[in-house]
Every structure is written in structure tokens, then in C-alpha cells.
Amino acid sequence: MTEQALLHLDGITKRFGRVTVAKDLTLSVRPGEALGIVGPNGAGKSSLFAMISGDLRPDSGAVWFQGRKVTDVPPHARTRAGIGRTYQVPRPFEHLTVFENVLVCAHQGAALKGRQAWTHAMEVLERTGLAELANTPAGRLALLQRKRLEVARALGTGPRLLLLDEVAGGLTEPEVLELVEVVKQLHAEGLGIVWIEHVVHALVEAVGRMVCLAGGDVIADGEPMGVLADPKVRELYLGGGPETGLADEEDRTDEEGA
Ligand SMILES: Nc1ncnc2c1ncn2[C@@H]1O[C@H](COP(=O)(O)OP(=O)(O)OP(=O)(O)O)[C@@H](O)[C@H]1O
């Protein structure tokens, strides 16, 4: 199982004082799979990404990537190994151009040099719809472009696994749909994707499997509409949670209000 998985989290536990963000959590992602993660605020979703990327060390348990135990491997080495991530708040080099931002990631993350790095960076800008903005300083980008650049910077590192942390947050509906198309295309190209998102209908469009986290553990795992229909998910996440944009969720609210 571990050998076949792209990513395998084996019984990881992480506590911040009294707050448990992961409780003996086990989860696998297959090569080329697109997995969506939902869960209430503070469920431990971003902390999970931090433990996968190496920004945070679990108290116990192990992180495996492509059959190799990486629990003690530092973040930059995990990036080189093929784990690329975005951050909830985009962090580009504001004074560098869009192209230069991705080029830095190609150099540092993918270890590419010279023309190879240049070509790779341009390809990434094409794939993320940023080619026309290549010479624009990152600090001048609107939100959608900043989100796209965040994805482009992660792709610049040449990942096998792409971790997307709330990249649809704050976007308009047409912008969300544009982003979904980018993610679907990346998945079609064979990239493994794990996407944390509160804009649930975007996830439903883009992923084949969904996991709901609550209290540091997986409370549902399976086909997206099945997970969203799970009574535990409805109670712990959708009940008082954010807008999902899903028709049946609106129906449910109407029924409750009737
Ligand atoms: N470095 C830290 N030190 C102390 N507490 C932390 C730290 N990082 C996260 N936490 C706490 O852990 C809990 C889980 O945070 P996390 O950001 O992982 O949740 P989340 O599911 O991503 O939430 P959201 O959906 O709001 O982004 C929160 O209560 C948070 O305050």
C-alpha cells in the first residue's frame, strides 16, 4: 500500500497545547489522484499541508512520499522530491515579474538551469493562463492573477503532488470556474492533486474523491456527493459552515427554515 501510494500519512498526531490538529490520522493519495479536503475552520487542514510539505513536524506518525519516508526531510528537500504547495495567502516576490517569480521556483525547486529553467517557467505560465502577464510585477496583480501565480509558483517546482490551499477563496464565480478549469487540466496531465477548499462546488467539479476532516481526524472519505450527504459531514461542517454553492445545501437550509 505504502509503495503504491503517491502520498501516505501513517497515523500522524499533532497537538498545539490543548488543540489537536491531527489525531492518529491515516490517509493515502494515489498517483494522479485528485483529492478534495473539506472541514470546519480550525479542523487542521492547513496544518496537515504543513506536515506534508515539511513546514511542521508531527508529534508522532510518519509521512511517506513515493514510497520514501520523508517525516524528517526538510521542506526544501521535499520540494525537490516533488511536493509543491500553495499558501492560503499568496506570497509572491512582489517586486519581481510574474515570469521571474516562476523562474526562481524552477531554479530552486526543480533544480533547472539556464534555458531549461526558462522554457519550463514559460510553459507553466501558459498552463496557468499567465503568459500575457509574464513581464508584470507580481505586486500589481489582481486577486485572480495572484491566485494563478501561486499555483504557477508551485508548478514551477516541478511537482508530482500539488497541494492547493484555498486557492478559490475570495474569487468571483466566473473566476472560480476559470480556476477549476486550470486544476482539471493539471489533473488530466497526470498530476496528483490535494485541494483544501471551502468553495465546495469548485471541489465537486474538480476532484474524484473527497475527505472531510474534523477534530483532527477523517470523518468521511469517498465520492464527493456521498461525502457531502454524510450526516456527520452535514452536522459538523455544512450545518453552520460557509456557503457551498450546492443546490441541495440551499434546499436543506430552506427546509430547516420552513
Ligand atoms: N503554529 C501554531 N501554533 C499554535 N496553534 C496553531 C498553529 N497552527 C495552527 N494552530 C491552531 O490549530 C488549529 C487548526 O488550524 P489550521 O489552520 O490547520 O485549521 P484549518 O482547518 O486549515 O482552518 P481554516 O479552514 O480556518 O483555514 C487552529 O485552532 C489553529 O489556531
Side-chain angles (χ1 to χ4, degrees):
M1 180 69 185
T2 302
E3 286 73 26
Q4 290 165 3
L6 178 63
L7 173 75
H8 181 64
L9 305 176
D10 186 13
I12 57 170
T13 294
K14 179 70 189 174
R15 293 189 182 87
F16 294 113
R18 289 186 186 169
V19 178
T20 302
V21 293
K23 192 166 56 184
D24 194 21
L25 188 153
T26 292
L27 183 68
S28 287
V29 180
R30 295 190 308 275
E33 183 172 33
L35 171 71
I37 298 185
V38 296
N41 295 113
K45 304 181 297 297
S46 293
S47 301
L48 196 68
F49 270 13
M51 287 187 275
I52 298 168
S53 64
D55 295 323
L56 194 64
R57 200 184 187 294
D59 298 332
S60 59
V63 180
W64 295 77
F65 181 65
Q66 297 191 119
R68 175 185 167 209
K69 196 172 175 182
V70 295
T71 323
D72 296 316
V73 172
H76 68 272
R78 293 196 206 187
T79 305
R80 287 265 168 114
I83 299 175
R85 74 165 291 185
T86 70
Y87 289 85
Q88 249 179 59
V89 180
R91 302 173 179 175
F93 298 110
E94 305 278 341
H95 58 288
L96 297 185
T97 66
V98 166
F99 175 75
E100 288 165 343
N101 262 280
V102 179
L103 190 65
V104 168
C105 297
H107 277 296
Q108 301 299 321
L112 294 174
K113 305 255 179 289
R115 175 155 290 278
Q116 270 190 320
W118 196 94
T119 305
H120 174 65
M122 275 316 296
E123 277 171 7
V124 166
L125 294 186
E126 294 284 351
R127 287 159 84 194
T128 50
L130 286 171
E132 287 180 7
L133 294 168
N135 294 321
T136 303
R140 285 211 228 132
L141 297 179
L143 185 62
L144 174 63
Q145 275 90 33
R146 284 176 80 83
K147 297 272 185 175
R148 281 177 183 261
L149 179 56
E150 190 65 9
V151 176
R153 280 161 44 84
L155 288 175
T157 66
R160 298 287 307 276
L161 173 67
L162 179 64
L163 307 174
L164 300 173
D165 197 349
E166 295 192 31
V167 285
L171 299 183
T172 64
E173 184 56 21
E175 289 173 340
V176 169
L177 297 179
E178 279 185 47
L179 199 65
V180 164
E181 288 311 311
V182 172
V183 175
K184 282 166 81 169
Q185 182 58 37
L186 295 172
H187 178 227
E189 290 168 15
L191 200 59
I193 294 170
V194 183
W195 185 359
I196 293 172
E197 191 54 74
H198 285 301
V199 185
V200 177
H201 72 93
L203 279 189
V204 172
E205 286 286 320
V207 304
R209 178 181 156 213
M210 187 180 282
V211 157
C212 183
L213 294 184
D217 207 357
V218 173
I219 61 163
D221 182 347
E223 181 273 321
M225 294 313 287
V227 167
L228 295 172
D230 186 307
K232 288 196 296 294
V233 176
R234 298 191 80 95
E235 181 193 338
L236 292 170
Y237 178 50
L238 296 174
E243 284 298 320
T244 63
L246 292 170
D248 65 342
E249 170 59 8
E250 284 159 13
D251 292 344
R252 191 179 66 90
T253 308
D254 289 343
E255 283 162 23
E256 282 173 352

